[in-house]
């Protein structure tokens, strides 16, 4: 189990030669269901037209306390004709799979064979794949699908329910990063509120950059107690620097 004192979290955005800590409003999303983590950065008037960046330029979003920052999201800037000029969108490496179109036929192949091919085509070299033997297909065809849809097709054809996502630049399929510490969220300590909406519980807390979807956390609250798996997180800040995080889990 692990505790870490939370004070007043601040964002730090690194894009090329820029390090931005003010003049921004931020929303960051991490979700097991959507597979892709992303961050929307709204530029206030003092930064509009000043910050210059290229499509797919490396970027990191950090969140921390008293200059002690943790990486919340590492990825790439998205800059297309349809993007709003007053904001910057940063996405994790799943954008590489989304932009890679696969057209190929495979013979006597396993799911891992095909996924490795897709990752190579997308320029992804750091990955961890579940090595369970799911059997081979005599023929498997991917007809002009992006990498995300192609991997979803693999799961469907083989009848596999493996999640896949990136964390810290590493692609995971049917696995998740090793978790050495389970962070504890407690009532009257670092839980500001706990509510339930439909099938999901929502914890409101301060920004916690080391909590991501698919990780376990321990909840100690009068409305719910136990170790749970995080389904999604949302972290928001406004122009005044006020930051809140929302953590969602299914519970029992």
């Amino acid at each position: 189990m692990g505790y870490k004192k939370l004070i007043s979290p601040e964002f730090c955005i690194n894009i090329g030669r820029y390090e931005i800590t003010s003049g921004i409003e931020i929303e960051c999303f991490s979700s097991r269901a959507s597979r892709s983590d992303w961050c929307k950065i709204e530029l206030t008037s003092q930064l509009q037209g000043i910050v210059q960046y290229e499509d797919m330029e490396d970027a990191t979003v950090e969140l921390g306390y008293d200059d002690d920052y943790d990486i919340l999201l590492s990825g790439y800037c998205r800059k297309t004709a349809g993007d709003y000029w007053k904001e910057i969108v940063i996405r994790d490496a799943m954008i590489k799979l989304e932009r890679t179109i696969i057209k190929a036929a495979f013979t006597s192949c396993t799911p891992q064979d095909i996924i490795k091919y897709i990752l190579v085509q997308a320029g992804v070299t750091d990955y961890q794949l579940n090595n369970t033997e799911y059997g081979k297909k005599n023929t498997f065809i991917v007809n002009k699908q992006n990498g995300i849809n192609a991997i979803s097709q693999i799961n469907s054809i083989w009848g596999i329910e493996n999640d896949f996502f990136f964390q810290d630049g590493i692609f995971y399929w049917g696995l998740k990063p090793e978790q050495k510490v389970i962070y504890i969220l407690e009532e009257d300590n670092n839980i500001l509120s706990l509510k339930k909406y439909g099938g999901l519980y929502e914890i409101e807390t301060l920004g916690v950059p080391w909590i991501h979807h698919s990780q376990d956390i321990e909840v100690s609250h009068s409305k719910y107690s136990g170790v749970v798996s995080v389904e999604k997180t949302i972290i928001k800040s406004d122009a005044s620097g006020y930051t809140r995080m929302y953590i969602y889990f299914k519970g029992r």
Side-chain angles (χ1 to χ4, degrees):
M1 305 300 174
Y3 293 87
K4 191 168 182 179
K5 184 174 177 59
L6 305 182
I7 309 169
S8 179
E10 297 177 345
F11 280 96
C12 180
I13 312 299
N14 293 281
I15 300 173
R17 67 182 186 274
Y18 300 103
E19 181 180 281
I20 308 169
T21 57
S22 61
I24 49 180
E25 298 180 30
I26 299 176
E27 286 186 284
C28 291
F29 302 85
S30 175
S31 168
R32 186 183 67 82
S34 68
R35 307 192 190 284
S36 179
D37 293 356
W38 59 283
C39 186
K40 181 177 70 175
I41 303 162
E42 186 90 15
L43 302 176
T44 55
S45 57
Q46 68 193 78
L47 291 181
Q48 291 171 14
I50 296 177
V51 178
Q52 303 295 320
Y53 62 95
E54 300 298 326
D55 185 48
M56 294 300 290
E57 187 163 355
D58 291 346
T60 60
V61 180
E62 298 178 314
L63 188 66
Y65 309 86
D66 295 336
D67 295 324
D68 178 17
Y69 288 94
D70 289 270
I71 294 178
L72 182 64
L73 172 66
S74 60
Y76 306 90
C77 295
R78 187 194 70 188
K79 187 176 184 181
T80 67
D83 287 330
Y84 186 47
W85 65 276
K86 291 183 179 181
E87 68 183 29
I88 301 170
V89 174
I90 298 173
R91 292 188 51 192
D92 69 11
M94 196 63 79
I95 191 173
K96 290 185 175 182
L97 293 179
E98 182 181 84
R99 292 186 175 188
T100 299
I101 302 301
I102 305 297
K103 180 177 173 60
F106 304 86
T107 59
S108 186
C109 55
T110 67
Q112 293 90 337
D113 294 333
I114 306 170
I115 292 172
K116 288 177 183 178
Y117 174 86
I118 294 169
L119 295 175
V120 168
Q121 297 305 302
V124 176
T125 58
D126 203 351
Y127 54 82
Q128 294 187 22
L129 309 181
N130 189 312
N131 61 8
T132 299
E133 294 186 6
Y134 297 104
K136 294 183 177 182
K137 299 294 183 186
N138 291 332
T139 304
F140 186 86
I141 297 174
V142 181
N143 188 16
K144 293 184 179 180
Q145 295 197 70
N146 70 34
I148 298 174
N149 291 336
I151 296 174
S152 294
Q153 180 186 355
I154 292 167
N155 281 353
S156 177
I157 294 298
W158 263 270
I160 303 169
E161 297 183 353
N162 283 349
D163 283 340
F164 59 94
F165 56 89
F166 282 88
Q167 194 171 114
D168 296 329
I170 302 172
F171 177 84
Y172 294 89
W173 177 77
L175 299 171
K176 59 182 182 179
E178 179 184 2
Q179 185 175 346
K180 296 180 180 179
V181 175
I182 296 178
Y183 191 74
I184 301 172
L185 291 168
E186 294 181 318
E187 189 173 14
D188 299 325
N189 182 6
N190 46 18
I191 293 179
L192 303 178
S193 70
L194 192 154
K195 302 174 183 177
K196 188 175 184 182
Y197 299 97
L200 288 179
Y201 288 88
E202 175 196 83
I203 291 176
E204 180 183 2
T205 183
L206 299 171
V208 187
W210 49 90
I211 293 180
H212 302 276
H213 75 76
S214 302
Q215 290 183 332
D216 291 335
I217 58 173
E218 182 177 347
V219 179
S220 179
H221 193 278
S222 56
K223 294 182 179 179
Y224 190 96
S225 291
V227 175
V228 299
S229 180
V230 176
E231 290 292 317
K232 67 177 180 178
T233 67
I234 300 173
I235 302 181
K236 300 179 181 181
S237 78
D238 57 26
S240 66
Y242 182 87
T243 302
R244 284 292 181 266
M245 181 177 193
Y246 301 88
I247 301 170
Y248 299 86
F249 63 93
K250 291 182 178 179
R252 295 184 291 269

